[in-house]
Amino acid sequence: MTAPQISFEFFPPKNLEASFRLWDTVQVLAPLAPRFVSVTYGAGGTTRELTRDAVATLHKSSGLNVAAHLTCVQASREETLAIADSFALAGVTDIVALRGDPPQGAGRFTPHPGGFANSVELIQALAETGKFAIRVGAYPDIHPEAASAQADIDWLKAKLDAGADEALTQFFFEADTFFRFRDACAKAGIDKQITPGILPIENWKGARNFARRCGTHIPAWVEDAFDKATRDGREDLLATAICTELCSELIEGGVDKLHFYTLNRPELTRDVCHALGVTPKVALQNVA
């Protein structure tokens, strides 16, 4: 089995303790030589400044290729593009362009009066600058706001046609979910890179709640396995085994790139990468 190319998602720290956790996470995972790492926005754009600071710091201090998340939420077009320009000035030219979740308690997304109406408009504006490599989200399971699976695929095609270079999927639990989605995308004429998003399950309760909120199907066998493993104190072992098996099946099915949602907890992601043959790249220096 050929080792895949990997990438990681982090979220920006909100306090000093979280800053140390992010830096520790980077220290653990950077030796695996990811092709890029991304830094998220909070719901409703709540971490806009934190994201900008974390992106600039990581780019300057880590030597990694850093991609900044950028959303349409609660900002005018001018404000959003000014943020993008600030990333470019800091040397960050990779952006994950998303519509973004509405602020907490707001229900559905409502565009800012002077803002982008959706992610396609944002992607078009970013592409017109010629400054950025643009990645977007994709949904192997139906997005909660989508009318159908085909509507999700049609919207993904619109985003890629607008100028995006690659899609990163929401997480899923079974390889066949991705393969069906990949086949449907190909049938729709999508020929750009679609990279599976992988969530190593550090906490089953939290992962289950997140899956339900974002429309990710939870197979009965996964529910049952984690319920039993949690009672027996074997949750970490099960999580490693399930995640490694999922990634192995994807690779056997022709996938050569994986994107890990780390939640700033690197150990399980590192262990899965090692099991897939992704090992630290250590330069030999001062060898006599």
Side-chain angles (χ1 to χ4, degrees):
M1 182 175 68
T2 302
Q5 297 182 60
I6 53 163
S7 53
F8 303 123
E9 179 183 284
F10 306 136
F11 56 79
K14 294 184 179 181
N15 54 47
L16 183 60
E17 180 182 357
S19 295
F20 285 121
R21 178 185 293 175
L22 172 59
W23 185 246
D24 289 345
T25 298
V26 172
Q27 294 290 93
V28 169
L29 296 178
L32 300 180
R35 62 191 182 102
F36 71 93
V37 300
S38 65
V39 181
T40 67
Y41 256 35
T46 52
T47 64
R48 183 178 292 122
E49 288 75 22
L50 295 173
T51 296
R52 185 175 56 202
D53 292 345
V55 164
T57 301
L58 281 177
H59 173 75
K60 183 177 180 179
S61 63
S62 71
L64 298 172
N65 181 28
V66 183
H69 283 218
L70 187 63
T71 76
C72 307
V73 179
Q74 292 193 315
S76 69
R77 289 171 177 257
E78 291 75 16
E79 289 168 335
T80 302
L81 292 177
I83 293 169
D85 283 339
S86 72
F87 290 141
L89 287 172
V92 174
T93 56
D94 286 52
I95 285 182
V96 181
L98 307 164
R99 187 201 70 183
D101 295 326
Q104 189 171 3
R108 297 179 67 85
F109 170 80
T110 301
H112 185 282
F116 294 106
N118 52 53
S119 55
V120 170
E121 288 190 2
L122 171 61
I123 293 158
Q124 288 173 332
L126 291 172
E128 287 171 1
T129 70
K131 298 177 181 179
F132 303 104
I134 305 168
R135 296 181 175 90
V136 296
Y139 298 88
D141 290 304
I142 301 174
H143 188 282
E145 297 179 25
S148 66
Q150 186 59 48
D152 264 339
I153 292 169
D154 293 343
W155 191 247
L156 173 60
K157 189 174 189 305
K159 292 190 288 187
L160 294 169
D161 289 347
D165 304 288
E166 177 181 356
L168 307 172
T169 79
Q170 182 60 273
F171 74 96
F172 49 88
F173 291 101
E174 295 180 311
D176 282 347
T177 300
F178 176 79
F179 294 142
R180 286 192 295 269
F181 179 71
R182 184 180 63 180
D183 291 346
C185 287
K187 185 177 179 180
I190 293 173
D191 58 4
K192 292 184 179 178
Q193 174 71 38
I194 301 176
T195 300
I198 306 297
L199 179 67
I201 300 173
E202 294 280 355
N203 178 282
W204 170 237
K205 182 179 179 181
R208 179 174 55 194
N209 290 340
F210 185 34
R212 289 170 176 167
R213 289 198 305 273
C214 66
T216 297
H217 171 65
I218 306 174
W221 69 266
V222 174
E223 287 260 25
D224 184 59
F226 271 103
D227 287 347
K228 292 178 179 177
T230 300
R231 289 197 300 269
D232 297 340
R234 296 182 293 107
E235 193 172 357
D236 288 348
L237 289 173
L238 176 66
T240 303
I242 285 180
C243 191
T244 302
E245 180 65 19
L246 171 62
C247 293
S248 297
E249 290 178 4
L250 291 169
I251 294 166
E252 289 169 2
V255 170
D256 61 357
K257 297 178 178 66
L258 299 170
H259 184 63
F260 288 89
Y261 299 113
T262 72
L263 304 182
N264 292 13
R265 297 183 181 278
E267 290 80 10
L268 179 52
T269 296
R270 176 200 59 201
D271 292 347
V272 170
C273 287
H274 286 180
L276 298 173
V278 180
T279 54
K281 307 297 190 293
V282 180
L284 295 178
Q285 297 179 344
N286 300 323
V287 177

